[in-house]
């Protein structure tokens, strides 16, 4: 596609449920990043991949959060046993190559945990 | 621990004048810096970057200055236009440490008055 596509755009779930957020990066982009953004804050790093390899997952807040990119293209961020504090905008970004600072962000998936 | 700080949450500037957005960082390992711009309901978009081997980088109306000894960078927009009204984020990475994660500041909301 022309840009980074994220789905769903909006997700409302009940506390304790699992959610999966999907990111489809720009075709040919090697690196894929996941960020979380609370209202009035900057994007908070979660994890990133080069191709299918997860290079850095130091930003994942706890073991309820995981991400995968099995074929080096589409990625899924999974949050298990969601809690209210997980409510945020989850943003995916891709870049042409590792080290290229120009990240192309998607429009985000807004997660609300009731 | 906020490694990248934007201490001014908002800034108002008259059209045609200079806008100066500031960013401070604490991690001396940061060696690559970027500025992003974000309009409401959209993802951040890349503006300009600078490597630590430089102290200035210019792209049209946008210039970024880096003062390594002060751990400070700034974005100058000259002349400012109403369409520049947005939230601006600075971001940094420590590429020589082997990871290409980008740490974002909390953002500064710029309003350019016509």
């Amino acid at each position: 596609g022309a840009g980074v596509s994220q789905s769903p755009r909006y997700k409302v779930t009940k506390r304790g449920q699992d959610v999966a957020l999907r990111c489809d990066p720009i075709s040919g982009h090697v690196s894929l990043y996941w960020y979380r953004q609370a209202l009035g804050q900057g994007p908070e790093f979660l994890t990133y991949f080069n191709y299918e390899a997860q290079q850095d997952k130091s930003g994942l807040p706890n073991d309820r959060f995981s991400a995968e990119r099995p074929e080096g293209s589409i990625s899924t961020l999974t949050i298990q046993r969601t809690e209210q504090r997980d409510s945020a905008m989850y943003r995916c970004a891709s870049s042409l190559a590792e080290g290229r600072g120009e990240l192309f962000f998607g429009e985000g998936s807004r997660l609300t945990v009731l | 621990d906020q490694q990248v700080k934007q201490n001014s949450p908002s800034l108002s500037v008259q059209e045609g004048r200079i806008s100066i957005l500031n960013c401070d960082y604490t991690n001396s390992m940061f060696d690559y810096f970027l500025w992003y711009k974000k309009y409401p309901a959209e993802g951040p978009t890349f503006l300009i970057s600078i490597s630590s081997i430089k102290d200035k980088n210019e792209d049209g109306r946008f210039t970024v200055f880096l003062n390594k000894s002060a751990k400070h960078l700034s974005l100058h927009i000259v002349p400012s236009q109403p369409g520049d009204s947005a939230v601006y984020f600075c971001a940094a990475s420590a590429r020589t440490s082997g990871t290409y994660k980008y740490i974002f500041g909390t953002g500064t909301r710029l309003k350019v008055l016509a």
Side-chain angles (χ1 to χ4, degrees):
Chain A
V4 176
S5 178
Q6 291 187 247
S7 62
R9 291 289 311 280
Y10 302 92
K11 176 71 177 179
V12 180
T13 191
K14 290 184 179 178
R15 188 177 53 186
Q17 298 292 306
D18 298 350
V19 297
L21 307 177
R22 173 188 162 120
C23 174
D24 194 349
I26 294 172
S27 177
H29 276 200
V30 166
S31 299
L32 185 148
Y33 292 76
W34 282 101
Y35 281 85
R36 176 170 71 175
Q37 187 170 14
L39 201 61
Q41 299 295 313
E44 174 194 8
F45 173 80
L46 295 177
T47 185
Y48 86 93
F49 295 82
N50 283 339
Y51 299 103
E52 72 282 357
Q54 192 169 21
Q55 297 294 321
D56 189 324
K57 56 180 183 178
S58 62
L60 296 177
N62 52 59
D63 60 8
R64 294 186 297 106
F65 287 72
S66 62
E68 63 174 9
R69 193 186 184 198
E71 295 177 4
S73 179
I74 291 169
S75 175
T76 302
L77 176 70
T78 301
I79 310 172
Q80 295 178 309
R81 305 180 302 282
T82 51
E83 300 177 4
Q84 286 186 326
R85 60 178 171 158
D86 300 333
S87 297
M89 177 72 82
Y90 288 83
R91 295 196 185 278
C92 174
S94 68
S95 70
L96 190 58
E98 185 177 48
R100 289 286 295 268
E102 186 173 359
L103 304 184
F104 293 82
F105 281 85
E107 292 181 314
S109 292
R110 180 166 294 286
L111 173 66
T112 302
V113 183
L114 302 176
Chain B
D1 176 26
Q2 190 68 30
Q3 297 185 67
V4 178
K5 301 176 186 179
Q6 294 177 257
N7 292 319
S8 298
S10 63
L11 174 69
S12 290
V13 171
Q14 207 66 36
E15 180 180 7
R17 308 295 289 268
I18 184 171
S19 294
I20 300 176
L21 297 111
N22 294 303
C23 179
D24 297 292
Y25 60 95
T26 57
N27 188 343
S28 57
M29 298 296 291
F30 285 150
D31 54 13
Y32 188 61
F33 305 87
L34 311 97
W35 284 94
Y36 279 78
K37 173 179 177 179
K38 183 186 174 306
Y39 292 119
E42 295 183 9
T45 55
F46 171 78
L47 261 182
I48 192 169
S49 64
I50 188 166
S51 164
S52 60
I53 61 173
K54 295 178 139 183
D55 53 20
K56 177 182 173 181
N57 189 25
E58 193 171 352
D59 183 2
R61 296 185 299 113
F62 302 91
T63 302
V64 56
F65 295 92
L66 176 62
N67 182 334
K68 289 186 288 293
S69 60
K71 295 193 182 68
H72 176 83
L73 65 156
S74 60
L75 175 69
H76 292 209
I77 307 173
V78 184
S80 301
Q81 300 172 353
D84 296 330
S85 297
V87 178
Y88 289 78
F89 295 99
C90 63
S93 71
R95 299 194 293 180
T96 53
S97 69
T99 177
Y100 290 87
K101 68 181 181 184
Y102 297 93
I103 306 299
F104 283 76
T106 51
T108 296
R109 182 177 301 278
L110 173 66
K111 188 170 184 179
V112 180
L113 307 168

